[in-house]
Amino acid sequence: AQTVTQSQPEMSVQEAETVTLSCTYDTSESDYYLFWYKQPPSRQMILVIRQEAYKQQNATENRFSVNFQKAAKSFSLKISDSQLGDAAMYFCACGGATNKLIFGTGTLLAVQP
Amino acid sequence: EAGVAQSPRYKIIEKRQSVAFWCNPISGHATLYWYQQILGQGPKLLIQFQNNGVVDDSQLPKDRFSAERLKGVDSTLKIQPAKLEDSAVYLCASSLGVGVNYGYTFGSGTRLTVV
């Protein structure tokens, strides 16, 4: 069984500042993947970043990076130089290599100009 | 490439009525997923198809929900009869194969309101 927990229902950040969204997970899979998805008001889930659990190096995509702590089962997302377009709902998700994707409850990020 | 297409975008029905949602996945994607996203919650998997066969429907309320994927391409999700608690966004996603390592592509969803 897999569970994903996001303990921050809402976060706010000033434009150009840095914000970190938290996520913890639990899984019995030995081969699994972790994801952060962005869901704007258009409702489409957009992949922000993904991390293979077997990789020790933290994934980075431009202004987005993760802090993956495997032993602590923690997977936080850092957004640097926040932009107004980053405002959205962010979901953390976990899935085994041959299994389904399980989502957290989401964090609503507001970006203040 | 074209994305995952879903219709309708919005639907309002009265309780006990029936409703159907349609999804056309990305061409060549063998795996198709239907997720239910209730307001304030993360998406929850309802059913997963591999081509036209069901891989996982353990979370599908089979007394009122049904889904099919004829010819292994597009898919229809039906609710009959609808209840108030079925109000949610229904998201369709597709991927090349079974497993999260292939990556999912999501559609924009159908927002269902049951009154």
Side-chain angles (χ1 to χ4, degrees):
Chain A
Q2 293 171 150
T3 59
V4 177
T5 302
Q6 294 179 250
S7 58
Q8 305 156 315
E10 298 182 15
M11 292 283 285
S12 182
V13 63
Q14 291 291 129
E15 198 174 3
E17 296 295 308
T18 296
V19 65
T20 298
L21 308 184
S22 301
C23 172
T24 58
Y25 65 93
D26 193 15
T27 179
S28 57
E29 303 279 345
S30 57
D31 183 13
Y32 61 93
Y33 294 72
L34 297 160
F35 304 83
W36 279 97
Y37 280 89
K38 171 185 178 182
Q39 188 178 42
S42 66
R43 301 198 300 259
Q44 186 175 18
M45 300 286 274
I46 301 166
L47 179 64
V48 174
I49 198 165
R50 83 180 232 168
Q51 174 82 43
E52 290 84 350
Y54 62 85
K55 290 186 177 179
Q56 291 188 337
Q57 187 173 5
N58 289 325
T60 299
E61 289 287 341
N62 299 314
R63 299 182 293 108
F64 299 87
S65 62
V66 299
N67 183 5
F68 174 43
Q69 301 290 327
K70 192 172 184 178
K73 295 185 177 178
S74 170
F75 183 62
S76 60
L77 175 69
K78 185 172 82 171
I79 306 175
S80 304
D81 185 25
S82 296
Q83 301 176 359
L84 294 177
D86 294 334
M89 198 74 171
Y90 286 81
F91 290 94
C92 178
C94 175
T98 57
N99 211 329
K100 60 192 176 189
L101 203 56
I102 303 298
F103 288 86
T105 52
T107 296
L108 182 62
L109 178 65
V111 181
Q112 309 298 331
Chain B
E1 67 181 359
V4 175
Q6 288 190 248
S7 66
R9 187 140 174 82
Y10 302 92
K11 190 73 177 179
I12 300 175
I13 62 171
E14 294 182 350
K15 59 183 179 183
R16 292 187 290 273
Q17 286 188 324
S18 63
V19 65
F21 314 125
W22 175 81
C23 172
N24 190 20
I26 291 176
S27 177
H29 278 197
T31 309
L32 185 146
Y33 311 84
W34 282 103
Y35 278 83
Q36 179 192 56
Q37 185 178 13
I38 294 173
L39 185 64
Q41 299 181 20
K44 181 186 79 172
L45 180 69
L46 290 176
I47 189 167
Q48 175 184 346
F49 291 95
Q50 175 71 6
N51 296 310
N52 60 350
V54 175
V55 174
D56 183 349
D57 64 356
S58 57
Q59 302 261 50
L60 187 74
K62 298 179 185 63
D63 58 333
R64 297 183 300 105
F65 286 65
S66 64
E68 60 183 10
R69 190 182 183 196
L70 299 175
K71 300 180 181 178
V73 182
D74 53 351
S75 176
T76 302
L77 177 68
K78 296 179 181 178
I79 309 175
Q80 181 179 12
K83 292 185 176 181
L84 295 177
E85 58 260 36
D86 297 332
S87 294
V89 172
Y90 291 85
L91 293 165
C92 179
S94 69
S95 65
L96 277 171
V98 175
V100 302
N101 52 312
Y102 284 96
Y104 291 24
T105 302
F106 285 85
S108 295
T110 296
R111 182 180 296 279
L112 173 68
T113 302
V114 182
V115 298

